């Protein structure tokens, strides 16, 4: 009664935000620039943190201009880091709200929300004899978590970035090469052009025999999946995507967020999650690419299109949609 309307836990949050039993949080303890547009964020997780498996990602909730935004980031620290801290490494993308905030404005001492780590882009329990890591840009992050965690006898990496100075973790990678723990080919796309997947025959002649983990932009991953399938070795390829492959768009419509009382016009290509956030509606979210179901919301009226498949979902009682991969297909009403 004394603390009403706040709960005693709200006061405890002020003095001990990382205590066990509180919503899982973390404190940013340091920000280390990696390249001109990427930085590693060192986080001390709160007591409920269950630890991760190399290659997994964590969802973090960050306050940007007073709005809590959730994004997923691969964990780049090894699983046995002695000081209990974890790192994520973020590349700022043009107009990116959270990535620019983390890379350019995040300050040590800042509290963030954390989820438990998750994801199945991980190494198998039994060590494969030969490994290939195929990465581009910020797609190197989950693989760096693996490289720092587990040594293999025979590991090759092909990494693409515009220029040498854009290669995240470059000096650490070259240390591994000098120690004969890694064979590395850098493809500098500004001078060499985009990697033609057929070049793997020349860069890594035994690529088809290698257990492969690939992470990078959609174009690279689509080409890899096609190539591995063509050679009948698709079960050796493991991929991690940072965004959903949007393949279809259509006509949009007027979107009503009935709980908030807002109505906006939306095109048929923009996910309803972005439409809602842009309109100032509180939208739950997670991976923002259709895998975590953190954004599901009842569709009260109208129809939406799944941007990955083109499938139309029409409103009926109990129908839920993933707002991160659904766009308006005519007028619709979303229960937010
Ligand atoms: C499983 C998983 C792991 C991830 N790990 C990492 C990581 O380790 N490091 C890292 O830097 N990022 C990672 N990401 C991407 C990250 O979650 C965000 O999508 C990214 O930081 C952009 O967020 P933003 O708020 O800056 O951009 P937003 O403000 O959401 O978007 C700004 C613009 O950029 C476009 N956009 C959104 N995401 C991307 C993207 N990934 N690439 C290119 N354009 C995009 C949007 O369509 C929009 O036009 C991961 C994503 C997933 C799903
Ligand atoms: S936010 Fe993860 S499925 Fe939509």
């Amino acid at each position: 009664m004394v603390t009403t309307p706040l709960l005693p836990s709200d006061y405890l949050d002020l003095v001990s935000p990382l205590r066990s039993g509180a919503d899982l949080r973390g404190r940013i303890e340091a920000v280390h620039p990696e390249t001109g547009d990427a930085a590693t964020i060192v986080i001390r997780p709160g007591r409920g943190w269950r630890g991760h498996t190399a290659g997994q990602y964590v969802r973090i909730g960050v306050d940007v201009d007073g709005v809590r935004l959730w994004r997923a980031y691969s964990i780049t620290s090894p699983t046995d880091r002695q000081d209990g801290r974890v790192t994520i490494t973020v590349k700022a993308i043009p107009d990116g709200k959270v990535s620019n905030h983390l890379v350019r404005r995040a300050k040590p001492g800042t509290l963030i929300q954390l989820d438990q780590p998750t994801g199945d882009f991980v190494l198998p329990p039994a060590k494969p004899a030969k490994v290939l890591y195929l990465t581009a840009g910020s797609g190197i992050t989950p693989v760096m978590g693996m490289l720092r965690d587990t040594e293999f006898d025979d590991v090759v990496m092909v990494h693409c970035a515009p220029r040498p100075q854009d290669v995240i973790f470059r000096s650490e990678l070259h240390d591994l090469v000098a120690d004969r723990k890694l064979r590395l080919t850098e493809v500098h796309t500004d001078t060499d052009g985009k990697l033609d997947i057929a070049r793997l025959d020349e860069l890594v002649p035994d690529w088809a025999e290698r257990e492969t983990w690939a992470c990078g932009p959609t174009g690279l991953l689509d080409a890899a999946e096609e190539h591995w399938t063509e050679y009948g070795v698709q079960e050796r390829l493991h991929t991690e995507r940072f965004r959903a492959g949007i393949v279809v768009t259509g006509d949009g419509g007027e979107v009503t967020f009935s709980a908030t009382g807002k109505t906006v016009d939306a095109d048929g290509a923009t996910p309803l999650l972005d439409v809602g956030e842009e309109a100032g509606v509180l939208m739950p979210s997670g991976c923002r690419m259709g895998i975590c179901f953190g954004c599901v919301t009842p569709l009260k009226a109208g129809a939406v299109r799944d941007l990955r498949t083109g499938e139309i979902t029409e409103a009926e009682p109990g129908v839920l949609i993933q707002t991160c991969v659904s766009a308006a297909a005519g007028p619709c009403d979303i229960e937010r």
Side-chain angles (χ1 to χ4, degrees):
M1 281 170 68
V2 173
T3 64
T4 304
L6 296 176
L7 297 169
S9 59
D10 294 322
Y11 288 94
L12 275 173
D13 282 354
L14 290 176
V15 287
S16 181
L18 303 186
R19 72 188 191 283
S20 72
D23 281 350
L24 187 56
R25 294 191 177 92
R27 179 182 283 121
I28 295 180
E29 294 204 335
V31 180
H32 301 301
E34 296 281 356
T35 63
D37 57 6
T40 289
I41 319 287
V42 182
I43 300 165
R44 173 159 313 271
R47 295 251 163 71
W49 178 254
R50 290 203 284 267
H52 74 286
T53 303
Q56 286 191 316
Y57 66 90
V58 60
R59 289 189 336 121
I60 68 170
V62 191
D63 292 341
V64 182
D65 301 329
V67 180
R68 171 79 38 91
L69 298 174
W70 287 85
R71 298 287 185 273
Y73 292 101
S74 306
I75 300 175
T76 47
S77 45
T79 53
D80 59 354
R81 189 172 156 136
Q82 292 305 307
D83 63 7
R85 298 189 292 179
V86 294
T87 61
I88 56 171
T89 303
V90 181
K91 182 169 182 292
I93 58 169
D95 300 326
K97 291 191 196 82
V98 175
S99 59
N100 281 283
H101 179 84
L102 288 171
V103 171
R104 310 194 196 285
R105 294 190 291 279
K107 294 270 178 298
T110 306
L111 285 178
I112 57 173
Q113 300 277 139
L114 285 182
D115 251 6
Q116 297 295 345
T118 184
D120 52 11
F121 187 71
V122 293
L123 297 170
K127 278 191 183 186
K130 292 173 164 197
V131 167
L132 168 61
Y133 293 132
L134 176 61
T135 56
S138 58
I140 198 169
T141 51
V143 161
M144 200 62 202
M146 294 173 176
L147 273 173
R148 286 172 169 163
D149 205 67
T150 310
E151 277 187 23
F152 294 101
D153 294 335
D154 183 349
V155 49
V156 179
M157 176 180 225
V158 176
H159 179 67
C160 310
R163 303 164 303 169
Q165 61 267 41
D166 299 315
V167 175
I168 306 173
F169 311 122
R170 189 162 195 252
S171 72
E172 191 173 336
L173 293 174
H174 283 262
D175 288 347
L176 290 173
V177 171
D179 291 345
R180 296 176 181 278
K181 291 180 177 163
L182 175 70
R183 275 187 288 151
L184 172 68
T185 298
E186 287 180 30
V187 178
H188 301 135
T189 51
D190 270 6
T191 44
D192 308 338
K194 275 202 179 137
L195 176 70
D196 174 358
I197 206 77
R199 272 194 69 206
L200 278 181
D201 282 343
E202 157 214 333
L203 300 175
V204 191
D206 59 355
W207 65 269
E209 294 164 26
R210 292 178 176 270
E211 204 68 27
T212 299
W213 281 265
C215 184
T218 307
L220 177 71
L221 297 184
D222 287 351
E225 281 172 359
E226 222 170 272
H227 199 63
W228 262 253
T229 305
E230 190 184 329
Y231 284 82
V233 287
Q234 62 274 23
E235 76 286 353
R236 297 215 178 108
L237 177 66
H238 314 269
T239 55
E240 175 88 314
R241 289 172 188 267
F242 284 179
R243 41 188 334 214
I246 304 285
V247 292
V248 275
T249 59
D251 290 337
E254 191 173 76
V255 183
T256 303
F257 297 93
S258 43
T260 321
K262 292 207 167 146
T263 299
V264 289
D265 279 328
D267 61 32
T270 307
L272 290 163
L273 175 57
D274 294 347
V275 174
E277 284 180 346
E278 204 54 45
V281 178
L282 202 56
M283 303 287 292
S285 73
C287 64
R288 307 179 80 87
M289 57 170 298
I291 53 176
C292 77
F293 291 84
C295 61
V296 289
T297 297
L299 175 65
K300 275 178 73 181
V304 301
R305 177 179 289 102
D306 188 316
L307 292 165
R308 300 163 301 178
T309 59
E311 197 180 307
I312 300 282
T313 300
E314 290 186 1
E316 51 181 277
V319 145
L320 297 170
I321 54 157
Q322 288 170 279
T323 61
C324 69
V325 287
S326 305
C332 55
D333 187 338
I334 313 295
E335 201 171 304
R336 286 285 168 212

